[in-house]
């Protein structure tokens, strides 16, 4: 005899549960944490490189870098002044998940830091589904990617707490209708905090860095 | 793509509930996937055949219920399927719209013996 067992359980429950444990660990050390997501080449590492020197002598920062295979990004973060830079190779996976972040956290004495920055794998789809346990999710959109990305990748734009619009120095050179872009963002994520900036020229970096410092102080 | 991890989660959930129900065999698993969840059914089925092999879920049928993405206009309440070129309401042209369906990603039930 066949019987139906009702379940109604989110498929990513196990990951979400581990993410909560990560959060507990981060919280109890009093650290503020962010998960930076973006397509490949949007400027995740560049933003981290620009941010670190501006936090020098103010905040102690640990960076966890998710990458499919190399340690290039973690090395860049270390050179830019991160007090700790941990590389997590996902071995082909398209995203970091809570288990991978847990592994990285085990290598850190979190009490020695004020801010934890996680750079996710470059991908505009998969990282959105896997919570890590960080306090805020940040999406970097970059001008050369085009203004239609919110419409094509709604899942990513929906879930984030702040949006960095990077490479604004390229606005004069590439077609990018800011109104069209912002409309898509507004529908998917009404009122989301937005930081237009250039990780190349440094324009707009102050607002971003001030926000980060404010978040750390509010912990 | 991360279908392997997702398939493992589906299997874990199904096995846990089947054990609680003292079932001997899982015959089907009813999964609900919204359009924005970006998961490929075929890959889940492929991994399933590998992962479930020596469990009581071996040979179970995966039934996917696909939920189309839906937006609702906050001006005229018209519900429509979003197009990736524009998020405006096709009925009244309003730009004030909200996503109302498509985020689902869950196991709804299992059939067991
Ligand atoms: N013009 C311009 N170029 C930038 C800016 N920010 C980053 N870049 C360039 O964009 C390229 C990619 O930057 P990365 O910081 O490596 O991008 P990423 O998102 O970390 O890339 P992955 O980790 O490989 O996914 C590099 O050549 C950077 O120099 C910017 O604001 N303006
Ligand atoms: Mg990088
Ligand atoms: Zn309308």
């Amino acid at each position: 005899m066949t019987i139906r067992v009702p379940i109604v359980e989110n498929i990513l429950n196990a990951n979400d549960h581990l993410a909560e444990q990560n959060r507990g660990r981060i919280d109890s050390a009093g650290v503020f944490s962010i998960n930076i997501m973006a397509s490949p080449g949007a400027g995740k590492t560049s933003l981290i490189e620009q941010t670190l020197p501006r936090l020098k002598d103010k905040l102690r920062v640990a960076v966890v870098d998710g990458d499919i295979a190399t340690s290039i990004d973690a090395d860049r973060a270390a050179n830019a002044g991160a007090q700790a830079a941990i590389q997590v190779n996902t071995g082909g996976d398209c995203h970091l998940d809570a288990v991978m972040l847990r592994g990285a956290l085990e290598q850190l004495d979190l009490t020695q830091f004020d801010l934890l920055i996680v750079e996710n794998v470059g991908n505009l789809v998969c990282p959105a589904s896997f919570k890590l346990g960080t306090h805020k999710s940040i999406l970097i959109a970059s001008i050369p990617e085009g203004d239609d990305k919110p419409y094509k990748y709604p899942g990513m734009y929906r879930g984030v707490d702040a949006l960095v619009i990077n490479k604004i120095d390229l606005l004069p050179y590439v077609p990018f209708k800011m109104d069209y872009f912002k409309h898509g963002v507004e529908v998917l994520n009404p009122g989301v905090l937005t930081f237009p900036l250039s990780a190349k020229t440094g324009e707009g970096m102050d607002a971003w860095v001030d926000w980060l410092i404010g978040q750390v102080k509010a912990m | 793509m991360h279908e392997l991890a997702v398939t493992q989660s589906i299997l874990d959930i199904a096995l846990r509930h089947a054990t609680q129900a003292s079932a001997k065999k899982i015959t089907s698993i009813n999964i609900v996937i919204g359009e924005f969840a970006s998961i490929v059914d075929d890959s889940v089925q492929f991994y399933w055949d590998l992962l479930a092999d020596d469990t009581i879920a071996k040979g179970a049928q995966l039934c996917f219920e696909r939920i189309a993405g839906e937006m609702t206009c906050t001006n005229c309440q018209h519900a429509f399927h979003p197009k990736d070129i524009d998020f405006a309401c096709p009925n009244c042209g309003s730009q004030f719209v909200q996503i109302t369906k498509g985020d689902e990603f869950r196991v709804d039930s299992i059939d067991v013996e």
Side-chain angles (χ1 to χ4, degrees), chain A residues 1-12 94-95 125-126 130 151 154 158 180 183-184 187-188, chain B residues 1-2 9-10 13 16-17 30 36 38 84-85 87 95 97 99 103 105-113:
Chain A
M1 193 192 62
T2 305
I3 52 166
R4 176 154 292 189
V5 181
I7 294 181
V8 192
E9 180 167 326
N10 278 323
I11 290 170
L12 297 175
C94 44
H95 59 272
V125 180
C126 310
F130 293 84
Y151 302 89
R158 259 166 91 54
Y180 177 64
H183 172 62
V187 166
L188 295 166
Chain B
M1 277 323 249
H2 52 256
S9 296
I10 296 172
I13 292 170
R16 178 157 39 83
H17 286 269
N30 303 303
F36 303 132
S38 39
D84 52 41
I85 38 157
F87 285 159
Q95 305 264 297
V97 297
I99 291 189
D103 285 329
F105 193 38
R106 58 173 197 263
V107 179
D108 249 7
S109 62
I110 52 175
D111 296 337
V112 300
E113 283 173 359

